[in-house]
Amino acid sequence: MTDPKAISEILSRDDLVTAYQAGQRTFSGVSLAETDISGIDLKGADLSYAELNGANLAQANLRGCDLSYASLREADLTEADLRGAMLIGTDLRQATVTEANFHDADYDPTETHFPAGFDPVQAEMKSDRADS
């Protein structure tokens, strides 16, 4: 049972960590742009529609997270674990993805936006659309 006002109370890294440790997993629409949340463990959290532009997510555990339609423009995802994450419609333009692990992450070839030069096939991601 998620408290409906809990999301509006997530204004900092500490708020996010406290809510996650208390068992909350739904953070859809949270706005933490430019926030340093490096090294954070949010495995399995719902961060769909989150505003994370410019956030520092280096070495974060985002394994299995739903980041659908989240905005991560210019975010630092260096060495982040995104295995099995849902990246449908996610905006990763200008994000730093050095050594990030995207193995088995789902993406939409037409709606997910990657940094220039990023190859989702080489990163072992899974397209959510069948080849036609």
Side-chain angles (χ1 to χ4, degrees), residues 20 25 34 45 51 54 59 70 88 90 109 123:
Y20 187 86
R25 296 294 180 266
E34 305 293 329
E51 170 65 47
Q59 299 179 336
I88 308 302
T90 306

Side-chain angles (χ1 to χ4, degrees), residues 15-49:
D15 294 342
L16 186 60
V17 169
T18 299
Y20 187 86
Q21 289 176 343
Q24 183 176 341
R25 296 294 180 266
T26 303
F27 304 103
S28 183
V30 71
S31 181
L32 290 172
E34 305 293 329
T35 302
D36 182 355
I37 44 181
S38 58
I40 197 165
D41 182 359
L42 295 174
K43 183 178 178 181
D46 178 358
L47 293 163
S48 58
Y49 300 96

